[in-house]
Amino acid sequence: MSATFLGMPGNFPKNAAKAVHNSQLRYNLRKATHTIRGKRANVVGELPDWQELRAAGKAIKDHTLRNLDRYLIQLEEAVTRAGGTVHWARDAAEANAIVAGLVKATGETEVVKVKSMATQEIELNQALAEQGITAYETDLAELIVQLGDDFPSHILVPAIHRNRSEIREIFLEKMPKVPPHLTDDPPALAEAARLHLRERFLKSKVAISGANFMVAETGTLVVLESEGNGRMCLTLPETLISVVGIEKLLPSWRDLEVFLQLLPRSSTGERMNPYTSMWTGAVEGQDFHLVLLDNGRTDVLADEVGRQALRCIRCSACLNVCPVYERAGGHAYGSVYPGPIGAILTPQLRGMSSDLDASLPFASSLCGACYEVCPVAIDIPEVLVDLRAKAPHAAAERAGMKVAGWILNDHERLAKAQRAASRLRGLIPKRLPGPMSAWTDTRDMPEIPEESFRDWWERNERA
Amino acid sequence: MRVALFITCVNDTLFPGTGRAVVSLLRRLGCDVDFPAAQTCCGQMHVNTGYREEGVRLARHFTEVFAGYDAVVAPSGSCAAMVREQYPKLARPGSRGAAAIAEVAPKVYELSEFLIDVLKVEDVGAYFPHRVTYHPTCHSLRGLHLGDRPTRLLKNVRGLELVPLPGSEECCGFGGTFAVKNPAVSAAMGADKTRNILDTGAEVLCAADNSCLMHIGGTLSRQKTGVRTMHLAEILASTEEAQ
Ligand code: SF4
């Protein structure tokens, strides 16, 4: 069972520094992100109306979020009408208790899961394990992460940090009926996983899923996936429990059209994803439960700048284009949501009381690449800067910034400081002490000039 | 045309040569330039590090100093983007500050924008016989959408051989205080950037932002590569006589 994300030690800079020195990891990440990045750019480039689609996606999500209360009730009514049962969960503990109770009521001790980030967020697998229930991930990458006792490190490709020989090792060690001469050929690995999973699907009476979208008007849930495991999970078991964040809502069936174009192109760089499954309420022979998860989302919604993070459709385009994610890897973010979206969503959902969460808004160079690719136009740099203003700052930094602000607020003070720096220019060592050593460890300092621009101007122009 | 120069605090303090190059270039093109002496800093470092209050104070100072000019030219894509893109988000809608920002911000131009969009020149009469590669810098590229303006100017410089930089659109890893708050990632990004620069065989790396150049140049110099960094203004200001 994968370990827990909550209470992860360290902070982003420390975690990232370790990851940066793992050359295998850096190679795996670079290769994977650059490949998907290129594919995405190509298929997005094919659509002449991409910017209009993006604006439409943003507008639909904003409208939904503004009227979330109304649409959620509409959804509840529609799901109930269709024979499903809706449960409301304020936080992780409530959601886990609801799901555990539902599974127990079936008398089963094993469940299959189709990738759901919401259940990762609330650590459902651990909560179920405590109740004697084993959850089996069926998404290939999630399976690799679960068998490897590991954390997911990417939204779409949770095992992006693993290469195929590592995956082969994990399979050999953890799969009971793995073929003994398993090679690290991708088709061979996929086949081993398929055999392993098929048995699970056929045996399981309970499945837990997430959803990419929920349609308020019809009560329909939608999952997009590419392996077919989702469809197996959704249709074979007798009880289906879907755990979904309340922000995954769309008002109408028509709105789906926009997102079924935006999501596959942004995530896998495909024009269309291989499997789109939709279900409405309970079908014959199957019991259906929908657990609507808040877990901090209404607090995010209350924040004027930060609420745009709830538009996210978890496509992972921002991760694949982020130069920081590419070097630091997903684990450095200490959350199921890594990369740029994680840097703004996690500290909003969890607050910034831990060292790790307080460091996340600073895990960006503000290069803006994430904003540019985001299919729902989330201005991630804007939210980062806003969160930085709310994050705690070290006393020494506060003092330094105060002094800098005081000097910069008056041109005569600034001129004096410049002249002082010029006089001392010969004395500045090549390696600086304290926090500035972070600069001089790998970079030379610029030379301080003999004369500032303003003094030069004064001398030449005012004379 | 009467133009106010916003030299920016980093240029003023550490790279005065860039400011002098802007003065000589714009004068050569017939502009009447002024340096409002009360100017200091746009406030970007404070705002982007989470010190909004100090940043807002600096922004207010900026709008006071530059009110009343037809055009303000800054040799920094990042500071120009701060004023044009971020200032409007700093003031309460309908407030006096918001009105002052709405008045000044649209008149602030990054150097290459001013040359091409306002003065309508692409050939500034420069001469620089060297192999040069250009790094577009994130705020110029995605904040201001400068596009190919800087390279159009460089292509018209006599003697200059412009070579493309692989991965040019990727951030160099400076990011203001990011460079010291996340030094390992910043250095890794800087190392990849310098590797790409060395691959071009260029003698000079050019950009429109001295802060990024300070980070890349500091890395190039620590690695003893011999590649120089130069601000766009310095290349555009250089002439045959000056060589
Ligand atoms: S923030 Fe935007 S780009 Fe990133 S995962 Fe969400 S929708 Fe995709």
Side-chain angles (χ1 to χ4, degrees):
Chain A
M1 202 58 44
S2 22
T4 167
F5 254 131
L6 297 169
M8 191 134 146
N11 57 32
F12 185 82
K14 278 193 209 137
N15 301 344
K18 265 186 247 143
V20 158
H21 292 118
N22 181 343
S23 54
Q24 179 70 59
L25 173 71
R26 261 181 82 178
Y27 176 82
N28 295 353
L29 280 168
R30 183 181 165 79
K31 192 158 183 260
T33 56
H34 281 247
T35 307
I36 316 179
R37 195 188 290 187
K39 275 174 74 184
R40 179 211 158 266
N42 281 340
V43 295
V44 161
E46 286 173 358
L47 292 187
D49 60 346
W50 181 256
Q51 290 307 331
E52 286 81 8
L53 269 173
R54 187 173 179 248
K58 170 181 192 274
I60 294 168
K61 279 280 181 185
D62 278 345
H63 167 84
T64 317
L65 290 169
R66 262 200 310 277
N67 300 284
L68 196 60
D69 48 350
R70 183 155 66 81
Y71 286 124
L72 279 170
I73 289 173
Q74 196 187 355
L75 174 83
E76 180 182 34
E77 285 166 3
V79 171
T80 311
R81 224 179 7 251
T85 312
V86 176
H87 309 259
W88 300 83
R90 192 172 311 140
D91 54 22
E94 267 188 31
N96 288 334
I98 294 169
V99 177
L102 289 169
V103 178
K104 280 191 159 169
T106 65
E108 294 295 316
T109 53
E110 292 186 349
V111 299
V112 283
K113 285 180 69 196
V114 53
K115 187 182 164 191
S116 145
M117 304 206 70
T119 63
Q120 287 278 5
E121 176 189 323
I122 60 175
E123 314 268 338
L124 176 68
N125 290 8
Q126 287 76 25
L128 289 178
E130 281 162 25
Q131 306 282 326
I133 301 160
T134 313
Y136 293 100
E137 299 291 347
T138 66
D139 177 89
L140 179 54
E142 287 285 344
L143 176 70
I144 295 165
V145 168
Q146 186 177 41
L147 293 178
D149 229 345
D150 198 358
F151 296 112
S153 66
H154 188 276
I155 291 181
L156 204 81
V157 201
I160 196 170
H161 56 293
R162 298 288 201 179
N163 62 24
R164 33 191 227 195
S165 67
E166 290 174 294
I167 295 169
R168 174 179 171 270
E169 294 295 312
I170 294 171
F171 281 11
L172 280 176
E173 199 184 315
K174 296 283 177 67
M175 274 183 186
K177 291 191 201 151
V178 72
H181 304 299
L182 182 68
T183 66
D184 67 0
D185 217 21
L189 293 172
E191 185 57 24
R194 192 170 294 128
L195 290 172
H196 173 81
L197 287 171
R198 179 112 337 168
E199 243 180 86
R200 288 256 168 272
F201 289 130
L202 294 172
K203 273 204 318 220
S204 294
K205 300 232 165 17
V206 183
I208 297 173
S209 88
N212 293 91
F213 305 102
M214 304 186 285
V215 181
E217 112 190 300
T218 56
T220 307
L221 272 70
V222 186
V223 157
L224 276 67
E225 39 114 11
S226 38
E227 294 164 18
N229 62 314
R231 184 152 298 178
M232 301 284 261
C233 278
L234 296 166
T235 49
L236 288 177
E238 290 163 14
T239 302
L240 173 61
I241 305 167
S242 301
V243 183
V244 189
I246 51 173
E247 83 285 13
K248 297 262 155 156
L249 207 52
L250 296 177
S252 73
W253 192 256
R254 258 194 72 181
D255 298 321
L256 266 181
E257 175 223 1
V258 171
F259 294 93
L260 293 185
Q261 294 183 72
L262 286 176
L263 185 53
R265 283 183 201 253
S266 302
S267 57
T268 45
E270 289 163 298
R271 298 184 184 96
M272 208 182 154
N273 60 294
Y275 294 89
T276 302
S277 304
M278 306 191 179
W279 66 105
T280 308
V283 290
E284 230 187 273
Q286 196 184 52
D287 215 12
F288 172 63
H289 294 270
L290 169 61
V291 181
L292 290 169
L293 177 72
D294 184 336
N295 205 29
R297 284 161 175 77
T298 43
D299 296 336
V300 182
L301 193 57
D303 189 287
E304 228 174 284
V305 178
R307 68 170 64 126
Q308 53 187 310
L310 296 180
R311 292 205 295 261
C312 177
I313 55 173
R314 313 275 189 266
C315 71
S316 71
C318 59
L319 278 65
N320 297 332
V321 81
C322 177
V324 176
Y325 174 86
E326 183 186 325
R327 273 90 185 175
H331 292 163
Y333 296 80
S335 152
V336 59
Y337 306 111
I341 182 61
I344 62 168
L345 193 58
T346 305
Q348 291 199 85
L349 289 175
R350 296 205 298 225
M352 290 189 274
S353 55
S354 78
D355 200 19
L356 174 68
D357 291 336
S359 71
L360 290 178
F362 299 92
S364 165
S365 64
L366 302 180
C367 81
C370 50
Y371 178 28
E372 197 176 60
V373 296
C374 177
V376 284
I378 300 173
D379 191 340
I380 295 175
E382 182 188 27
V383 183
L384 286 166
V385 167
D386 194 62
L387 287 169
R388 289 175 182 190
K390 294 168 183 157
H393 295 110
E397 185 193 283
R398 257 196 335 261
M401 294 299 268
K402 264 227 145 67
V403 173
W406 181 77
I407 292 171
L408 290 172
N409 207 24
D410 179 298
H411 67 282
E412 278 165 10
R413 280 202 284 267
L414 175 58
K416 272 195 202 131
Q418 288 168 335
R419 277 177 223 129
S422 292
R423 271 198 307 278
L424 297 172
R425 57 203 282 263
L427 302 175
I428 294 173
K430 262 202 126 45
R431 303 267 177 166
L432 294 179
M436 284 313 288
S437 67
W439 182 277
T440 54
D441 279 350
T442 56
R443 289 159 287 221
D444 286 340
M445 291 288 289
E447 255 177 64
I448 295 181
E450 243 175 281
E451 183 182 47
S452 68
F453 176 83
R454 70 178 60 239
D455 279 351
W456 172 84
W457 176 272
E458 189 72 21
R459 207 159 45 76
N460 283 270
E461 306 293 319
R462 299 281 146 82
Chain B
M1 176 171 262
R2 196 166 158 70
V3 182
L5 302 179
F6 173 45
I7 293 303
T8 84
C9 63
V10 168
N11 287 322
D12 178 13
T13 309
L14 293 173
F15 305 98
T18 295
R20 295 197 296 268
V22 175
V23 172
S24 81
L25 171 67
L26 292 182
R27 282 197 176 140
R28 196 168 81 213
L29 297 171
C31 295
D32 183 4
V33 293
D34 187 19
F35 174 79
Q39 67 177 273
T40 56
C41 162
C42 65
Q44 182 176 190
M45 174 181 78
H46 281 95
V47 170
N48 283 355
T49 314
Y51 296 82
R52 220 182 128 105
E53 212 178 290
E54 281 89 349
V56 167
R57 211 174 300 137
L58 292 169
R60 194 175 306 128
H61 182 70
F62 181 95
T63 53
E64 279 161 16
V65 171
F66 289 100
Y69 284 95
D70 301 330
V72 181
V73 177
S76 161
S78 158
C79 302
M82 173 69 191
V83 177
R84 283 217 318 251
E85 305 298 311
Q86 277 176 276
Y87 271 17
K89 294 175 185 171
L90 291 177
R92 238 178 316 108
S95 64
R96 271 233 316 271
I101 289 165
E103 176 70 32
V104 174
K107 294 184 208 155
V108 175
Y109 299 92
E110 181 279 332
L111 179 66
S112 71
E113 281 178 319
F114 183 72
L115 296 174
I116 290 187
D117 301 356
V118 181
L119 295 187
K120 315 254 182 247
V121 285
E122 295 203 12
D123 184 346
V124 297
Y127 172 75
F128 190 74
H130 299 280
R131 194 176 161 95
V132 175
T133 193
Y134 185 78
H135 171 56
T137 79
C138 301
H139 291 170
S140 298
L141 188 70
R142 287 177 284 265
L144 293 178
H145 302 287
L146 287 190
D148 64 352
R149 287 182 187 84
T151 46
R152 258 148 72 196
L153 291 161
L154 286 173
K155 278 181 188 149
N156 282 313
V157 172
R158 272 171 308 118
L160 187 146
E161 185 198 348
L162 186 65
V163 286
L165 177 62
S168 68
E169 302 201 345
E170 278 178 42
C171 178
C172 69
F174 172 61
T177 45
F178 175 76
V180 289
K181 277 182 174 273
N182 280 284
V185 178
S186 171
M189 289 162 72
D192 289 344
K193 184 59 74 181
T194 54
R195 193 169 323 111
N196 282 333
I197 293 165
L198 294 179
D199 280 350
T200 66
E203 304 157 62
V204 175
L205 170 73
C206 175
D209 265 295
N210 271 329
S211 25
C212 306
L213 286 178
M214 177 170 77
H215 158 76
I216 306 173
T219 310
L220 286 166
S221 143
R222 179 61 61 87
Q223 297 170 350
K224 307 223 181 321
T225 59
V227 177
R228 273 190 298 160
T229 53
M230 274 176 91
H231 192 281
L232 178 67
E234 289 166 37
I235 292 181
L236 297 182
S238 74
T239 56
E240 210 137 355
E241 303 83 70
Q243 289 285 320

